[in-house]
Amino acid sequence: MTLRTPLTPLALVRTLIVVLLLGGAESLHAELPTLRLSVLQFGTAHWELDHLKRHGFDREAGFDLQVRLVANLPASRIAVSSGDVDGAVVDLTWAQARHEAGQSFRYLPYSSQLGDVLAAPGQVIRDIEDLRDKRIGVAGGPDSKSWVLLTRAAQARGIALEREARVQFGAPPLLSQSLKRGQLDVLVTFWHFAAELTAAGDAEVALPMASVLASLDIPTGLPILGYVFHEAWALEQEALVTQFARAVAHTKRELRDEPEHWAALRPLMRVSDDDHFEALRQGYVQGIPEPLDAPRIQALQRLLELAGVRPGETMPASLFVQAPSDER
């Protein structure tokens, strides 16, 4: 039987101090502001936020990130519109539509990736003119970013693709299968589905979106996807939005410069082989946008005008989150 020596008064005081300090540290730890984000379970933003959270960049920046995974984009949009979450990843055109409807969001750049226009193997598509009379699949709906830009570029050439081609809108996985089965000639889809098809040899890049943007005199690399936050909430939580922007910038730099981190993300990417994995990794890296400044914000506003927004009604510069000064 072991006898324990009673604590002296001095030792007891020291023990109490340690307990109080530990309790205070736990209290401070628990009081970090929480940021709730909604993202697609199998979307590219999930990769980014998983890395951010797993390496503790949120707590280093002074907040606690909570990620809510959803099955589809409408669910994510509903969550952020209703206030169930603080933010989500959406298209620039969706943020613009909400602004016109009186529900403005602050917009933090996420990605500049646009899916190239793909052709089924054997289809000869060298120019927009070659899209006439083709069976074109479009992921999403008529407001899909790549489709809007492609139709605007076609209109500049006197071509109305919505009338001069056979267009089918649908979900990306279903359209990918239709292309593989020979039911489509051309596919306009989200970039990671395009990367999968080209990596597997099931499609070829017919028209790079960079060339489509060039024909419209729009710079490449504009962030057409972004994290959005209710404007009123973002004004009240300006420090939190800045902290998140810094943590995201740190995350993007690591994923760009240190490829070894991608091994931990591979299970989230649902890839079947190394070629597909590498295509997705490179696609993400290529889509990392430059920080926003006044000229790039003006270019985004011009892009919105090309998408049909009347001049003067585009999202104002104040809604675009520019990089913190130490991230430029």
Side-chain angles (χ1 to χ4, degrees):
M1 179 175 180
T2 302
L3 296 177
R4 295 184 179 179
T5 303
L7 289 175
T8 65
L10 179 58
L12 182 60
V13 169
R14 287 174 175 168
T15 301
L16 288 172
I17 289 173
V18 170
V19 170
L20 288 172
L21 287 174
L22 288 174
E26 289 178 0
S27 176
L28 289 172
H29 186 73
E31 289 174 3
L32 287 176
T34 298
L35 180 64
R36 304 165 302 159
L37 294 182
S38 172
V39 296
L40 289 176
Q41 182 175 1
F42 298 111
T44 58
H46 187 192
W47 313 343
E48 178 171 286
L49 296 180
D50 179 83
H51 183 80
L52 187 158
K53 184 69 178 179
R54 185 157 23 85
H55 289 271
F57 297 155
D58 55 342
R59 294 192 174 277
E60 285 182 16
F63 67 96
D64 177 34
L65 175 64
Q66 294 183 4
V67 177
R68 180 184 299 180
L69 301 178
V70 295
N72 53 57
L73 282 174
S76 196
R77 293 168 176 172
I78 291 171
V80 72
S81 294
S82 65
D84 284 346
V85 295
D86 304 314
V89 173
V90 303
D91 298 342
L92 175 66
T93 49
W94 183 87
Q96 170 64 38
R98 298 315 304 156
H99 171 67
E100 293 180 70
Q103 188 184 45
S104 295
F105 289 84
R106 294 289 301 281
Y107 186 90
L108 172 67
Y110 164 65
S111 176
S112 63
Q113 268 290 16
L114 282 168
D116 294 320
V117 179
L118 304 182
Q123 287 288 333
V124 180
I125 308 291
R126 298 192 181 92
D127 189 81
I128 288 179
E129 294 272 354
D130 297 327
L131 296 177
R132 282 191 168 109
D133 298 321
K134 298 299 183 184
R135 299 169 299 172
I136 302 176
V138 179
D143 60 349
S144 172
K145 302 174 298 300
S146 296
W147 175 244
V148 168
L149 293 170
L150 181 62
T151 55
R152 294 295 182 273
Q155 287 171 7
R157 302 275 294 277
I159 304 168
L161 286 179
E162 60 275 18
R163 294 197 307 271
E164 297 183 56
R166 288 165 284 172
V167 182
Q168 174 186 339
F169 300 104
L174 297 178
L175 293 176
S176 293
Q177 290 302 317
S178 294
L179 187 77
K180 292 178 183 179
R181 290 193 294 262
Q183 297 168 335
L184 293 173
D185 305 313
V186 175
L187 180 58
V188 182
T189 190
F190 304 145
W191 76 264
H192 46 298
F193 287 94
E196 179 178 3
L197 289 166
T198 54
D202 294 319
E204 301 169 352
V205 175
L207 300 173
M209 283 307 299
S211 66
V212 175
L213 291 172
S215 73
L216 295 168
D217 196 26
I218 295 176
T220 58
L222 292 177
I224 43 73
L225 290 171
Y227 292 100
V228 294
F229 311 93
H230 273 284
E231 182 183 23
W233 180 91
L235 289 173
E236 293 177 357
Q237 303 289 339
E238 187 171 357
L240 179 54
V241 173
T242 299
Q243 290 165 334
F244 175 66
R246 288 184 175 133
V248 165
H250 186 177
T251 300
K252 289 181 184 296
R253 282 198 302 272
E254 279 204 350
L255 293 178
R256 179 193 65 200
D257 300 336
E258 302 173 27
E260 63 272 16
H261 288 301
W262 285 84
L265 298 177
R266 186 161 180 156
L268 302 180
M269 298 166 68
R270 300 192 302 171
V271 292
S272 56
D273 54 56
D274 290 341
D275 288 341
H276 184 193
F277 169 76
E278 188 59 22
L280 290 180
R281 188 190 71 80
Q282 290 183 10
Y284 168 89
V285 170
Q286 291 166 2
I288 295 176
E290 293 295 322
L292 285 178
D293 54 17
R296 289 173 66 77
I297 290 174
Q298 290 170 1
L300 281 173
Q301 292 170 326
R302 182 169 178 272
L303 187 152
L304 288 170
E305 290 177 2
L306 284 170
V309 180
R310 286 179 290 188
E313 295 185 4
T314 58
M315 293 165 58
S318 60
L319 288 180
F320 293 93
V321 179
Q322 299 190 45
S325 57
D326 60 348
E327 295 294 348
R328 289 185 185 277

